[in-house]
Amino acid sequence: MSDGAKGKVAGSVLARVPKATFRAHIADGLRAAILNGDIEPGAQLVETALADQFGVSRGPLREAMRQLIDEGLLIAVPYTGTHVVGLSVDDVREIYSMRVTLEIFAFEQIWARRDQAFRQGLVARRDALTACIDAEDDAASIVAELQLHGFVYEATGHKLLIRTWDSIRGRLQLYWAAHHRAHGIRGPRRDGHDRYVEMALSDDFDTLKSEITDHMARGGRQTEDFLRGREARAAAQSP
Amino acid sequence: MSDGAKGKVAGSVLARVPKATFRAHIADGLRAAILNGDIEPGAQLVETALADQFGVSRGPLREAMRQLIDEGLLIAVPYTGTHVVGLSVDDVREIYSMRVTLEIFAFEQIWARRDQAFRQGLVARRDALTACIDAEDDAASIVAELQLHGFVYEATGHKLLIRTWDSIRGRLQLYWAAHHRAHGIRGPRRDGHDRYVEMALSDDFDTLKSEITDHMARGGRQTEDFLRGREARAAAQSP
DNA sequence: ACGGCTCACATTGTCAACAATCGACTGTCT
DNA sequence: AGACAGTCGATTGTTGACAATGTGAGCCGT
């Protein structure tokens, strides 16, 4: 730890970063570890162990964990422990139903303002996603798909909406990562996203709406089958 | 402070509360102080002072503040300070547009399941709100109106939606409180909410949708006028 | 007088030790 | 044998002190 801590000189005119704090770095690292699957759902996070691992004290670590709790990735019970959240069938169903609503809202916000930059950005991200799928790189596909959808939210400029998407994205990624590890190749098929982008660039809002609904419904059904199977297996094992 | 801290005896069989921590209590207290207007928007929150005031150390207080930051009530810049957020015209516009979407989504979720309990609960909360308005009790009106709308969200049982509403409610209440202090009597007029509840209990979903849109549009317009005036005044004063 | 620099202060970030609580284990009593 | 109380270890909650950083006041040179 404490690598670039002594940089007294760099007045650095253009960087408005007020000297990064540990908490942010730790939160990012922890989040990555969770979403990457290095820490499995249900696993307990022990503060002292993690603090050692990150080379910091428990103070900053606790704040980072609290941030992840607010993001819905961790769940804490006082004096007992903090665990990585395990998503249920209902949880995933909620995420997908919410996405339908939010994403349609996002397109409502931006519909009249879909300029050239937006169209190019959307196509670029679809191409990136397609490349990842063709390369059968699941981890990259997940990130690429999140960036495709995230681009739509960002384009709205609606800070509250973006904030809400951020609060959902973590859980969605958590689920996708688990699905990916369990099933190998995951959901995103080429044609589905091609159609999605095509509709997003068309002038028929109603068709886009139903495309989004279908898009999510496909993903949702897939997830439900997977999760129901997992829950059934878990139920058959534990009691 | 420090009243019920030493309760060693109370084994308290029926309470499943695992011994309340300070952090939660402080977060509630701080939130109340902010929403109540005891701490004005823009004011800086100094950790040491607040810690003394609450009778705790800076550790728990920092975590409570971080929670309020995640709720969007505070904004922090490292090594410099943490301030109560001041909402702009755009912020309020975003809140209202988001509410339209979320509330329509909420009714979609619950539409087919509007049983007797739901209807009675809705009417009861409308009556409570009406009573507060008739009594010209602004502070109570705000709470009552939040409970009326909150009841709809709760009724969906959609945890993610409720969570999202929670993340918006704080900012909405913050704005309403500021509006209330500046303008005296605030927005909620009787007939507006009567119509809202009437539509919510009817069987015409489309009409409800437009009623919600109008309902919010009225509120939004009102807020914009107020905020634009405030910003204009501020702009005329500071530079 | 004005711009840049130094320095002290206020505030936040971090740390290591201490206290409180929970869960499980164990030993005893019925 | 089974149930219950007490105890022990592990983990989180809390604290006060120390370090790093940003900000503004005051000084100096021009």
Side-chain angles (χ1 to χ4, degrees), chain B residues 148-166:
Chain B
L148 170 62
H149 291 282
F151 179 72
V152 175
Y153 290 105
E154 290 285 346
T156 64
H158 195 297
K159 296 192 295 288
L160 196 53
L161 176 61
I162 294 171
R163 190 190 174 85
T164 307
W165 163 245
D166 283 340

Side-chain angles (χ1 to χ4, degrees), chain B residues 26 54 142:
Chain B
I26 296 172
F54 278 98
I142 292 177

Side-chain angles (χ1 to χ4, degrees), chain A residues 123-180:
Chain A
V123 169
R125 279 158 187 81
R126 181 208 53 192
D127 291 344
L129 171 57
T130 301
C132 292
I133 294 176
D134 287 346
E136 298 190 354
D137 186 341
D138 287 10
S141 296
I142 292 178
V143 174
E145 179 159 7
L146 286 171
Q147 282 178 346
L148 170 63
H149 292 282
F151 179 73
V152 175
Y153 290 105
E154 290 285 346
T156 64
H158 193 298
K159 296 190 297 288
L160 196 53
L161 175 61
I162 294 170
R163 189 191 175 88
T164 306
W165 162 245
D166 284 341
S167 76
I168 293 178
R169 189 185 48 198
R171 291 182 152 225
L172 183 60
Q173 189 170 358
L174 180 63
Y175 163 70
W176 279 353
H179 193 285
H180 151 59

Side-chain angles (χ1 to χ4, degrees), chain A residues 163, chain B residues 67-75 85 87 167 171 174:
Chain A
R163 189 191 175 88
Chain B
Q67 185 171 334
L68 296 188
I69 290 172
D70 284 316
E71 292 180 16
L73 292 178
L74 301 180
I75 184 168
V85 71
L87 296 175
S167 76
R171 292 182 152 226
L174 180 62

Side-chain angles (χ1 to χ4, degrees), chain B residues 21-43:
Chain B
T21 86
F22 282 160
R23 185 192 58 253
H25 183 218
I26 296 172
D28 289 344
L30 249 187
R31 191 186 302 111
I34 294 171
L35 295 178
N36 201 37
D38 297 340
I39 310 175
E40 291 193 15

Side-chain angles (χ1 to χ4, degrees), chain B:
Chain B
M1 181 48 17
S2 77
D3 44 4
K6 284 287 185 247
K8 189 59 162 274
V9 276
S12 183
V13 181
L14 32 88
R16 191 61 235 120
V17 221
K19 180 71 176 180
T21 86
F22 282 160
R23 185 192 58 253
H25 183 218
I26 296 172
D28 289 344
L30 249 187
R31 191 186 302 111
I34 294 171
L35 295 178
N36 201 37
D38 297 340
I39 310 175
E40 291 193 15
Q44 180 170 8
L45 300 182
V46 178
E47 295 180 357
T48 53
L50 282 177
D52 286 353
Q53 194 170 327
F54 278 98
V56 298
S57 152
R58 277 179 53 213
L61 185 104
R62 275 175 71 91
E63 295 191 29
M65 283 176 69
R66 190 137 301 280
Q67 185 171 334
L68 296 188
I69 290 172
D70 284 316
E71 292 180 16
L73 292 178
L74 301 180
I75 184 168
V77 7
Y79 289 108
T80 303
T82 306
H83 296 74
V84 177
V85 71
L87 296 175
S88 69
V89 175
D90 280 339
D91 289 333
V92 175
R93 192 181 295 144
E94 285 186 1
I95 291 174
Y96 272 82
S97 67
M98 197 80 169
R99 282 184 68 200
V100 174
T101 297
L102 292 180
E103 209 148 317
I104 290 175
F105 176 63
F107 275 109
E108 274 176 14
Q109 294 290 109
I110 206 184
W111 195 251
R113 292 181 285 126
R114 292 172 303 160
D115 56 9
Q116 198 59 24
F118 172 75
R119 294 168 183 274
Q120 287 175 354
L122 203 62
V123 169
R125 278 160 188 79
R126 181 208 52 191
D127 291 344
L129 171 57
T130 302
C132 292
I133 294 176
D134 287 347
E136 297 190 354
D137 185 341
D138 287 11
S141 295
I142 292 177
V143 175
E145 179 160 6
L146 286 170
Q147 282 179 344
L148 170 62
H149 291 282
F151 179 72
V152 175
Y153 290 105
E154 290 285 346
T156 64
H158 195 297
K159 296 192 295 288
L160 196 53
L161 176 61
I162 294 171
R163 190 190 174 85
T164 307
W165 163 245
D166 283 340
S167 76
I168 292 178
R169 188 185 46 197
R171 292 182 152 226
L172 183 60
Q173 189 169 358
L174 180 62
Y175 164 69
W176 279 354
H179 193 286
H180 150 59
R181 279 197 306 283
H183 269 203
I185 289 295
R186 202 187 50 86
R189 296 263 56 81
R190 289 195 52 147
D191 50 352
H193 293 92
D194 285 346
R195 194 158 55 231
Y196 173 85
V197 171
E198 186 188 339
M199 293 301 164
L201 297 180
S202 79
D203 284 325
D204 186 350
F205 190 79
D206 287 334
T207 307
L208 171 66
K209 270 171 72 172
S210 50
E211 168 58 25
I212 290 178
T213 307
D214 291 350
H215 188 81
M216 303 288 178
R218 281 196 298 275
R221 198 147 42 232
Q222 196 175 45
T223 72
E224 287 195 23
D225 292 344
F226 164 57
L227 276 177
R228 238 194 298 271
R230 194 175 70 176
E231 283 187 358
R233 256 170 286 149
Q237 228 168 16
S238 50

Side-chain angles (χ1 to χ4, degrees), chain A residues 53-186:
Chain A
Q53 193 170 326
F54 279 97
V56 298
S57 154
R58 279 179 55 214
L61 185 105
R62 275 175 70 91
E63 296 191 28
M65 284 176 69
R66 191 139 303 277
Q67 184 172 333
L68 296 188
I69 289 172
D70 284 317
E71 291 180 17
L73 292 178
L74 301 179
I75 184 169
V77 9
Y79 288 108
T80 302
T82 305
H83 295 76
V84 177
V85 73
L87 296 175
S88 69
V89 175
D90 280 339
D91 289 333
V92 175
R93 192 179 298 144
E94 286 187 359
I95 292 173
Y96 273 80
S97 66
M98 197 80 169
R99 283 185 66 200
V100 174
T101 297
L102 292 181
E103 209 148 317
I104 290 176
F105 175 61
F107 275 108
E108 275 176 13
Q109 293 290 106
I110 207 184
W111 196 251
R113 292 180 285 129
R114 291 172 303 162
D115 56 10
Q116 198 61 21
F118 173 75
R119 294 168 183 274
Q120 286 176 354
L122 203 62
V123 169
R125 279 158 187 81
R126 181 208 53 192
D127 291 344
L129 171 57
T130 301
C132 292
I133 294 176
D134 287 346
E136 298 190 354
D137 186 341
D138 287 10
S141 296
I142 292 178
V143 174
E145 179 159 7
L146 286 171
Q147 282 178 346
L148 170 63
H149 292 282
F151 179 73
V152 175
Y153 290 105
E154 290 285 346
T156 64
H158 193 298
K159 296 190 297 288
L160 196 53
L161 175 61
I162 294 170
R163 189 191 175 88
T164 306
W165 162 245
D166 284 341
S167 76
I168 293 178
R169 189 185 48 198
R171 291 182 152 225
L172 183 60
Q173 189 170 358
L174 180 63
Y175 163 70
W176 279 353
H179 193 285
H180 151 59
R181 281 196 306 282
H183 268 204
I185 291 295
R186 201 188 49 87

